[in-house]
Every structure is written in C-alpha cells, then in structure tokens.
C-alpha cells in the first residue's frame, strides 16, 4: 500500500493496529501517555476493537509498506476530538502532518463540527503549529507524575472496583482506594499493570507518599492544581492544554 502526501490518507483497520500502537507509543514522551489506555499492557486489544468502529476513525499515510503518519479522530455528537496526530521521526518535515490536519478540517467542515485536541505544555512548537490552523486555548489542567521503584505492586487487591464493563478488558478500571491510616476512601482510575489516576486534592499531606510506599513499582498520574513537588516520588509536572478550532 502506498500514499503520496498530496493524496487522501487511508482508513486504517485491525490489521494496522500493532503498527499504529508502535507509532503512538514512540511518538510521545512517556509521561504524556502515562495513565492512559495506551500505557496499558492491553492497549493492542483496545486498538483492535476501536480502530474501525463508528465513532473512532484512524487514518494513515504509508510510504511503501511503512506507516509514516497516523491520526485518530473521535466523532462525538457535538464536535470532533483529535486524539492523536503522529509522524515517524525520519519522515517529519515532509508535509505529512500538515496534509493530515487539512484532511481533518475537511472532515470537520463536512460534519459542520468544531475540532478539539489536547497538547502538552512542553511541546510549545506543536502548540504553535496547531494555533496556525486556527486552534485556540479553551482550558488547561496541571498534571504530575510520581513513581516508586520496585516490584511489589499489587494495588488491585486494595481497590474496590466499580462495574467498568468493556474497559476492564483493556486494562482500565475505576474504583475506590481505602487508605485506613488516613481514614480516606478516594476515587481512583487504574491502568494495568500499575498506574493510578488520582485527583491531586486527595494526595496532599503525605497521602501520595504513603500510597507509593505501600505499592512499590507503581506510578501516580495526579490531575489538578495541588502541588505534590515535595513528595520523595515526584518526577515531573506539566500542563495539558485543551485547544479548539470552532466551526
């Protein structure tokens, strides 16, 4: 299969899922994907299931048999969300991403819908590139990554899980974590094998350190304004910006 950059990209299917996962996994810094389904050990099963359903649209440009650039669009009721646009490193600068973005905007115009996307604060060049297509900041969220070393993570036994339906088969669960030493029961998201998604408001005053001390080998992706930089397990802080191009 072969595409030229001035042609329409190909709609991708389950047979492309492994190559799409490899491109997404290597196309972002690890902290960006931490706590998402793409950091799950069952991410490939997720991709194979959603890659060609009615709401999720994956498109790619190929050079020869190599996937050079991929996008993932989620068609929502009121707008379109651009989950990913990733180009293989050695094909960057050849116009694939720009051609993809033009394609996205043509789809948006055909649906008469606005387009949203999320971008990491550390990727200022890409953020400016999105702005050149008419995307504007509408919201932001601080995120922090905390990680403990080791191989003793067994956190699923410590969480009361909700009924999460199909997400459980993709290594993603939601529930409540009981922390008896602090008299707390806090809502958490879980990504297999060992990542917690938790609002930073629940992690102050030593709670984060206690969780990671008890669950060696686990990570926490904290969402929200409360700073956790004094934690011994603190690794990184960044801001995720939501940008929108209105119809």
């Amino acid at each position: 299969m072969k595409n030229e950059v001035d042609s329409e990209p190909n709609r991708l299917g389950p047979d492309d899922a492994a190559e799409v996962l490899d491109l997404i996994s290597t196309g972002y810094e690890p902290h960006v994907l931490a706590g998402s389904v793409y950091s799950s050990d069952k991410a490939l099963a997720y991709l194979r299931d959603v890659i060609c359903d009615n709401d999720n649209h994956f498109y790619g440009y190929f050079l020869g048999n190599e996937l050079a650039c991929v996008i993932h669009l989620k068609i929502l009721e009121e707008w379109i969300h651009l989950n990913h646009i990733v180009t293989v490193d050695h094909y960057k600068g050849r116009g694939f991403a720009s051609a993809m973005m033009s394609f996205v905007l043509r789809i948006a115009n055909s649906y008469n819908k606005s387009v949203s996307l999320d971008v990491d604060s550390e990727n200022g060049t890409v953020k400016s590139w999105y702005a050149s297509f008419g995307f504007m900041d509408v919201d932001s969220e601080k995120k922090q990554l905390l990680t403990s070393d080791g191989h003793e993570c067994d956190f699923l036994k410590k969480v009361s899980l909700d009924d999460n339906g199909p997400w459980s088969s993709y290594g993603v669960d939601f529930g409540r974590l009981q922390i008896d030493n602090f008299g707390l029961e806090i809502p958490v998201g879980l990504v297999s094998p060992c990542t917690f998604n938790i609002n930073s408001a629940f992690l102050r005053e030593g709670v984060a350190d206690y969780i990671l001390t008890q669950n060696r080998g686990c990570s926490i992706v904290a969402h929200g304004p409360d700073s956790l930089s004094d934690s011994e397990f603190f690794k990184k802080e960044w801001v995720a910006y939501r940008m929108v191009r209105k119809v």
Side-chain angles (χ1 to χ4, degrees):
M1 185 180 301
K2 183 178 180 181
N3 267 128
E4 298 298 336
V5 72
D6 57 354
S7 66
E8 295 285 276
N10 294 288
R11 180 79 184 267
L12 304 179
D15 290 344
D16 302 304
E19 199 168 1
V20 170
L21 179 60
D22 182 64
L23 183 48
I24 290 175
S25 299
T26 58
Y28 291 94
E29 293 295 323
H31 69 275
V32 176
L33 297 179
S36 75
V37 68
Y38 287 99
S39 66
S40 165
D41 53 7
K42 300 177 182 177
L44 184 56
Y46 163 77
L47 266 178
R48 283 175 174 157
D49 283 350
V50 304
I51 199 166
C52 59
D53 69 19
N54 290 333
D55 297 329
N56 292 279
H57 294 213
F58 289 76
Y59 295 91
Y61 278 116
F62 288 85
L63 283 181
N65 292 319
E66 183 179 8
L67 183 61
C69 183
V70 66
I71 59 167
H72 173 197
L73 299 176
K74 190 168 183 67
I75 311 297
L76 303 168
E77 184 175 351
E78 296 183 359
W79 72 94
I80 296 173
H81 186 69
L82 175 56
N83 274 334
H84 302 287
I85 179 166
V86 189
T87 304
V88 174
D89 280 347
H90 55 270
Y91 290 132
K92 289 181 177 178
R94 296 178 60 170
F96 287 108
S98 293
M100 277 292 198
M101 184 58 78
S102 296
F103 176 69
V104 169
L105 298 183
R106 289 198 298 275
I107 291 177
N109 289 336
S110 71
Y111 279 96
N112 196 33
K113 294 179 184 287
S114 298
V115 182
S116 64
L117 57 84
D118 299 310
V119 61
D120 182 3
S121 58
E122 295 190 339
N123 211 338
T125 300
V126 171
K127 191 170 183 291
S128 297
W129 182 76
Y130 287 137
S132 72
F133 285 92
F135 286 86
M136 298 180 293
D137 293 358
V138 295
D139 201 2
S140 63
E141 180 183 47
K142 183 166 80 173
K143 295 186 177 183
Q144 297 164 88
L145 178 65
L146 296 83
T147 301
S148 63
D149 298 324
H151 304 282
E152 303 170 19
C153 182
D154 196 17
F155 66 97
L156 282 175
K157 292 183 179 179
K158 305 173 188 297
V159 177
S160 299
L161 293 178
D162 300 331
D163 181 6
N164 293 295
W167 281 105
S168 294
S169 63
Y170 305 138
V172 178
D173 290 282
F174 302 90
R176 303 188 71 82
L177 174 64
Q178 186 74 37
I179 309 176
D180 294 331
N181 287 40
F182 290 82
L184 295 174
E185 186 181 67
I186 61 177
V188 297
L190 310 171
V191 180
S192 177
C194 50
T195 302
F196 294 92
N197 281 303
I198 305 176
N199 190 295
S200 61
F202 296 110
L203 297 171
R204 296 172 296 181
E205 301 177 357
V207 175
D209 284 6
Y210 178 79
I211 292 173
L212 291 176
T213 298
Q214 298 298 310
N215 296 278
R216 291 286 179 176
C218 286
S219 297
I220 293 174
V221 178
H223 307 255
D226 298 87
S227 177
L228 304 172
S229 60
D230 58 348
S231 167
E232 66 174 289
F233 301 108
F234 178 84
K235 299 297 182 184
K236 195 174 190 65
E237 176 182 313
W238 69 101
V239 176
Y241 288 98
R242 171 61 59 93
M243 303 182 76
V244 169
R245 184 186 186 274
K246 295 185 178 180
V247 65

